[in-house]
Amino acid sequence: MNINVIQLMSPLHGEENVINSLRPSMNFLEDNFDVNYNSQENSDGITVVWVMTGGVEGKFKEIYPWLKKPIILLAEDINNSLPAALEIMAYVRKQQEKAYILHGGFDEIKQEIEKLYFLQEAAKKIKDARIASIGGPSDWLIASHVDFHKVSEIWGSNFVYIPMEDLLKSISEIEIASQDDYFSKAAAAIGIQETDVQAADRIYRGLKKLVQEKNITALTLKCFDLLDPLKNTGCLPLARLNDEGIIAGCEGDMPSLFTMLLVYILTGKRSFMANPSKIDKKANTILLAHCTVPTSIVEEYSLKTHFESGIGVAVAGKFAEQPVTVVKLGGRALDKLYIAEGAIVSNTYDEHRCRTQIKVQMEYGLDSLLKNPLGNHLIIVPGKIETLFRGFMDYMEIIY
């Protein structure tokens, strides 16, 4: 890991004396990181301002404008370093910028540097993302529209609108090809013909073509608009895109897609976008269902028809009983958060719900879900990630 270290010391102490007094810290830095000292360029990695002595506040103020943000200060327990770092920290906060002080044992400092590097890289990936809305949001998502300008101001992401006509044209240019191994892994195909799978494959390839042509990181699809012209759905194509690391959501639900993308960036995990179908407050359980799920996060899956329309190819996945996190970003600026942890306790099979169905025993959070919902979908992530997710929101200084 590369770190750029800016050394600040007062001439009153004498440079040689300061370096000698802090030799253990210098050895620690050079033993654990690729260190570049005193560069004024925003190089790769993170920049650490090493407050080696007191009396350097004025020097810091001079260099502050060109320092990479957020400001990370390394404070020692000698040479009046810590009080100087606290003064600098207060100054930076007055500029309404993020700042951190590294202080303590070497193991603790190493972990904090690695954490800040990880968070910085995650923020960069979100900022660099090109997120596509294909066809816009579904008509029923009356509370899930976002202000792309505000979202870009907070998160930095770029948003692209692609008309449904562009996707239909892309699909029409795809020839039917022999199916690869991906489509033969299903445990069963119930009510599905080979021609249905071939049509779903063409949708997948048409989406993939748009992704490559327009350099798309993630996409959400107004999938019900495929039912009439193609007599098929986006369920299986979206599952496959997710499996390939192209995060894809349905119904044109941008808040859900953005949540899925952030989950993937922070954890490397694919997630399940689903409808809350039933809440049992006494048992503290929630039943979640949808017609698409990444096949990489389930134990097995079958192909069935799409629930609402009875046509096309949907994915009925079977989850392992395991801890999960239920999460959703919402609001017009995607700056509101619902998050709670629980565990999958069973898979259910009810013909009156979407095809992948799980019951989750929640540890907490159902009351707030009913009182302050962020829309009609939730995102289910294998494992417990609440601490990591909230930590990133705090790093981004999003008050949720």
Side-chain angles (χ1 to χ4, degrees):
M1 179 193 305
N2 295 320
I3 65 171
N4 185 32
V5 177
I6 308 298
Q7 297 172 303
L8 295 183
M9 68 180 81
S10 168
L12 295 177
H13 292 261
E15 181 176 347
E16 185 176 352
N17 290 334
V18 172
I19 294 296
N20 287 336
S21 70
L22 298 179
R23 182 63 63 185
S25 294
M26 185 170 288
N27 291 340
F28 155 74
L29 291 170
E30 294 174 356
D31 288 345
N32 288 279
F33 307 102
D34 294 324
V35 180
N36 179 34
Y37 288 107
N38 299 319
S39 171
Q40 294 190 16
E41 298 179 358
N42 281 341
S43 56
D44 292 337
I46 63 175
T47 296
V48 175
V49 178
W50 189 3
V51 183
M52 306 174 82
T53 71
V56 296
E57 294 86 342
K59 286 186 176 181
F60 174 85
K61 190 174 179 180
E62 290 177 5
I63 66 172
Y64 172 72
W66 58 260
L67 286 175
K68 178 184 277 189
K69 310 303 187 292
I71 301 299
I72 303 171
L73 307 170
L74 174 59
E76 302 289 345
D77 57 10
I78 58 174
N79 300 337
N80 280 334
S81 168
L82 182 58
L86 293 172
E87 181 72 16
I88 291 170
M89 174 81 158
Y91 172 80
V92 174
R93 297 301 294 173
K94 278 190 174 183
Q95 315 310 310
Q96 298 184 332
E97 292 279 1
K98 294 192 292 286
Y100 302 88
I101 291 182
L102 307 175
H103 183 71
F106 288 150
D107 288 343
E108 180 183 354
I109 291 172
K110 182 174 184 291
Q111 290 175 7
E112 191 66 15
I113 289 175
E114 290 171 345
K115 174 185 173 182
L116 289 170
Y117 177 82
F118 171 81
L119 294 174
Q120 176 181 284
E121 290 299 296
K124 184 177 184 298
K125 289 176 182 177
I126 285 288
K127 182 178 179 180
D128 292 343
R130 280 175 54 82
I131 304 171
S133 171
I134 302 179
S138 295
D139 297 341
W140 49 87
L141 297 181
I142 60 175
S144 299
H145 290 238
V146 301
D147 184 325
F148 293 130
H149 178 71
K150 289 183 178 179
V151 176
S152 294
E153 284 184 343
I154 292 175
W155 296 97
S157 308
N158 300 298
F159 293 89
V160 180
Y161 174 73
I162 300 175
M164 184 60 66
E165 292 75 17
D166 287 9
L167 174 59
L168 294 175
K169 181 176 183 296
S170 180
I171 293 169
S172 70
E173 295 169 351
I174 303 297
E175 295 182 1
I176 295 177
S178 58
Q179 307 306 313
D180 56 24
D181 292 341
Y182 182 88
F183 295 96
S184 64
K185 293 177 182 177
I190 303 170
I192 301 298
Q193 305 299 319
E194 183 179 352
T195 53
D196 298 322
V197 178
Q198 288 176 338
D201 179 52
R202 289 185 71 194
I203 296 172
Y204 155 73
R205 295 179 190 277
L207 284 166
K208 188 75 173 287
K209 184 169 177 282
L210 281 182
V211 166
Q212 293 169 341
E213 288 175 351
K214 298 182 181 295
N215 192 28
I216 299 301
T217 307
L219 65 92
T220 183
L221 171 65
K222 192 179 182 183
C223 46
F224 278 72
D225 282 11
L226 299 179
L227 296 178
D228 185 49
L230 299 181
K231 301 299 185 286
N232 214 306
T233 70
C235 304
L236 186 59
L238 295 178
R240 182 165 190 176
L241 290 173
N242 277 294
D243 285 331
E244 294 176 354
I246 302 165
I247 303 306
C250 49
E251 301 181 37
D253 187 339
M254 186 57 72
S256 290
L257 173 69
F258 197 86
T259 306
M260 295 167 72
L261 177 60
L262 184 51
V263 164
Y264 182 65
I265 287 173
L266 290 175
T267 69
K269 295 179 179 181
R270 286 75 170 169
S271 51
F272 176 38
M273 171 184 170
N275 294 315
S277 296
K278 178 181 178 181
I279 290 175
D280 186 333
K281 293 177 67 176
K282 184 176 292 186
N284 213 33
T285 60
I286 181 170
L287 197 151
L288 299 130
H290 229 207
C291 281
T292 184
V293 64
T295 64
S296 56
I297 65 172
V298 294
E299 292 184 314
E300 63 177 45
Y301 66 95
S302 300
L303 302 182
K304 296 183 178 181
T305 57
H306 178 242
F307 166 57
E308 287 92 344
S309 65
I311 64 175
V313 185
V315 185
K318 179 183 177 183
F319 275 87
E321 296 181 6
Q322 60 184 307
V324 293
T325 302
V326 180
V327 59
K328 179 70 177 292
L329 289 167
R332 292 190 66 82
L334 297 180
D335 57 351
K336 307 301 180 187
L337 173 67
Y338 171 83
I339 190 165
E341 294 178 340
I344 298 173
V345 293
S346 66
N347 294 267
T348 65
Y349 304 96
D350 188 320
E351 64 180 12
H352 300 294
R353 297 191 181 103
C354 292
R355 305 315 188 190
T356 297
Q357 305 171 17
I358 56 173
K359 181 185 286 187
V360 176
Q361 180 82 49
M362 300 297 292
E363 296 178 6
Y364 46 86
L366 286 184
D367 284 340
S368 61
L369 179 61
L370 288 170
K371 292 177 182 177
N372 298 294
L374 294 177
N376 71 333
H377 294 121
L378 292 170
I379 308 304
I380 300 87
V381 189
K384 295 194 172 187
I385 68 164
E386 181 175 4
T387 298
L388 173 61
F389 207 97
R390 288 189 185 277
F392 185 71
M393 296 288 282
D394 292 341
Y395 176 83
M396 296 295 293
E397 293 196 316
I398 295 174
I399 302 173
Y400 48 88

